[in-house]
Amino acid sequence: MSSINSVKICFVCLGNICRSPLAQGVFETLMTKENFQDLVHIESAGTGNWHVGKPPDKRMQTTAGKNGVTMNSRARQFQPEDFDRFDLVIAMDQANLMDLSALCPPSIAEKKLRLFRSFDPENLSAKPLDVPDPYYGGDEGFDNVFNIVHRTSPKILEFIKTNYLNT
Ligand code: 4NP
């Protein structure tokens, strides 16, 4: 009988009120649909602390809701010890990735830290791409974040299945 491991992942953006909680909600919805909810533990966090304790941004919640995704998180700031708690830490943009790299040794960054759009099936260039920060823009920025996160999440699940779960 093959053993099945579980995996803990954390999505990280700047404020933890738009992009990373959306990624958390979309991924939770996908895990439930695929019946992986007991094997994959999902959280999100921000590199900054301005919004700690707050629910997700209303505009992001509206975009998520109209696509059937509920967002239940409260903002928290990523702590260096979180690298011990999580198997995989996924940064939404390159600034987040750099800030997170500064919180752990290079060996841990290499093993656990990834850029969200490195999994994007529509990122066909070798260039690293960001999930753009929608906070100071219009509604179309929130729709764009949803589209990127929605098409990329199944690719992240494939990566998790291959590298962490004996499925
Ligand atoms: P997030 O968006 O990093 O996707 O949660 C932001 C939220 C708040 C701010 C910036 C980005 N802010 O400057 O307060």
Side-chain angles (χ1 to χ4, degrees), residues 8 10 41 43 76 81-87 112:
K8 291 187 176 172
C10 187
H41 174 85
E43 293 185 28
R76 61 179 284 271
E81 310 82 77
D82 286 327
F83 278 108
D84 299 329
R85 284 208 301 128
F86 292 101
D87 302 295
K112 298 192 171 183

Side-chain angles (χ1 to χ4, degrees), residues 13-19 51 133 135-136:
C13 60
L14 178 61
N16 194 213
I17 54 170
C18 299
R19 294 165 293 173
H51 300 284
D133 182 349
Y135 190 69
Y136 291 108

Side-chain angles (χ1 to χ4, degrees), residues 116-117 120 130-132 144-152:
F116 193 91
R117 289 193 72 185
D120 185 347
D130 294 337
V131 179
N144 186 38
V145 168
F146 182 86
N147 289 335
I148 294 169
V149 167
H150 185 253
R151 71 176 179 239
T152 302

